[in-house]
């Protein structure tokens, strides 16, 4: 079950983070050391506000990358699935708790909690890709229901990948780029930042169960920072 809908953000910290994000991103093209986690918070805020004001699926269409994927429960091309879909009367609400971002700012991940009007709760994970104009669009949205809500942190946490060291002989692009190995391992979908310092992949089984993994470059190696498993469910 995915997070679909809008959220009411609580906390002045998030609001302050969001305000300058788009302007900062316009001034700074992607590159080493240009990661700006607040830009992802701003994207979540705008995404959720649009869902609340314009309708759930309208917002999902508006903020989706052309190659965006969602799970229903098998992976589908989001824009195809969303086309012409009527908005629900009462959207889900959500807010982000954690952010991870590549060194060059071209890819980021947000995770947080959603809740529905019927009282059910769950978590979401959104992967965001920077566009040519510097803004962000989501390329993958997934999550699941929980028996209890996630514990809300006092502060949003943000982690930025270590940047490749210039002049050290270390390749500036640290991604392995070996798509064949990923296919052989059964990975259904995958992607990475332009500089390779943030990667994600997911595997979906015939019973609709899936696993999403996110890796961030820390201390000279790729470290798994998020692993999300969703049990199988009927179509």
């Amino acid at each position: 079950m995915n997070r679909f809908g809008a959220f009411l953000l609580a906390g002045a910290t998030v609001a302050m983070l969001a305000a300058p994000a788009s302007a900062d991103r316009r001034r700074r093209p992607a590159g080493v050391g240009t990661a700006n986690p607040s830009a992802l918070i701003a994207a979540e805020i705008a995404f959720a506000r649009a869902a609340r004001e314009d309708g759930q699926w309208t917002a999902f269409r508006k903020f989706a990358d052309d190659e965006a994927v969602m799970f229903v429960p098998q992976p589908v091309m989001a824009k195809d699935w969303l086309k012409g879909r009527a908005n629900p009367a009462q959207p889900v609400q959500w807010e982000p708790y954690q952010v991870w971002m590549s060194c060059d700012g071209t890819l980021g991940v947000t995770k947080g909690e959603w809740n529905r009007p019927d009282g059910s709760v769950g978590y979401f994970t959104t992967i965001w890709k920077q566009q040519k104009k510097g803004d962000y669009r989501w390329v993958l949205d997934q999550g699941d229901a929980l028996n209890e809500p996630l514990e809300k942190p006092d502060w949003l946490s943000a982690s930025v990948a270590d940047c490749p060291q210039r002049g050290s002989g270390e390749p500036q692009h640290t991604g392995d780029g070996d798509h064949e190995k990923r296919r052989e391992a059964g990975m259904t979908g995958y992607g990475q930042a332009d500089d390779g310092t943030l990667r994600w992949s997911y595997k979906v089984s015939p019973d609709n169960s899936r696993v999403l993994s996110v890796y961030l470059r820390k201390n000279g190696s790729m470290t798994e920072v998020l692993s999300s498993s969703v049990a199988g469910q009927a179509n």
Side-chain angles (χ1 to χ4, degrees):
M1 184 184 301
N2 292 350
R3 166 276 324 227
F4 295 136
F7 70 90
L8 299 175
L9 265 172
T13 301
V14 175
M16 288 187 293
L17 277 171
S22 58
D24 287 349
R25 179 55 61 191
R26 284 196 298 269
R27 288 196 297 267
R28 298 191 299 168
V32 173
T34 61
N36 180 11
S38 64
L40 295 190
I41 304 302
E44 281 283 14
I45 292 172
F47 182 15
R49 182 181 298 120
R52 187 173 66 249
E53 296 176 354
D54 304 329
Q56 177 173 299
W57 301 129
T58 299
F60 268 76
R61 287 190 293 268
K62 178 180 178 181
F63 283 82
D65 183 86
D66 289 342
E67 301 301 317
V69 171
M70 61 198 306
F71 301 92
V72 295
Q74 284 289 316
V76 296
M77 298 304 294
K79 286 195 171 181
D80 291 341
W81 190 85
L82 292 166
K83 187 176 182 180
R85 192 165 294 271
N87 293 313
Q90 292 183 295
V92 178
Q93 300 184 9
W94 75 87
E95 60 179 302
Y97 291 169
Q98 295 172 280
V99 178
W100 298 269
M101 202 169 205
S102 63
C103 167
D104 65 358
T106 60
L107 195 71
V109 181
T110 53
K111 180 181 178 180
E113 179 192 46
W114 58 256
N115 60 84
R116 292 184 170 180
D118 64 5
S120 60
V121 296
Y123 75 92
F124 70 88
T125 305
T126 308
I127 298 177
W128 297 89
K129 180 181 178 181
Q130 189 180 38
Q131 308 296 297
K132 290 183 179 179
K133 293 183 179 180
D135 57 336
Y136 287 87
R137 291 292 180 264
W138 66 270
V139 293
L140 185 140
D141 181 273
Q142 75 97 43
D144 200 9
L146 297 170
N147 293 326
E148 299 290 338
L150 290 176
E151 183 177 354
K152 186 172 182 177
D154 292 332
W155 304 97
L156 280 165
S157 65
S159 182
V160 175
D162 293 344
C163 298
Q165 299 298 312
R166 294 186 181 277
S168 65
E170 181 182 359
Q172 295 302 298
H173 181 86
T174 59
D176 58 15
D178 195 340
H179 291 180
E180 288 304 320
K181 285 185 178 179
R182 296 182 186 222
R183 291 192 184 98
E184 290 172 5
M187 293 296 102
T188 310
Y190 42 82
Q192 64 182 14
D194 289 351
D195 67 355
T197 61
L198 178 63
R199 303 178 197 159
W200 59 269
S201 62
Y202 67 83
K203 179 179 180 179
V204 181
S205 300
D207 66 354
N208 296 321
S209 62
R210 65 179 180 271
V211 177
L212 170 69
S213 298
V214 175
Y215 290 83
L216 192 71
R217 184 179 182 276
K218 285 292 183 182
N219 301 316
S221 64
M222 300 301 290
T223 301
E224 186 175 52
V225 292
L226 185 151
S227 180
S228 174
S229 298
V230 176
Q233 50 186 292
N235 286 304

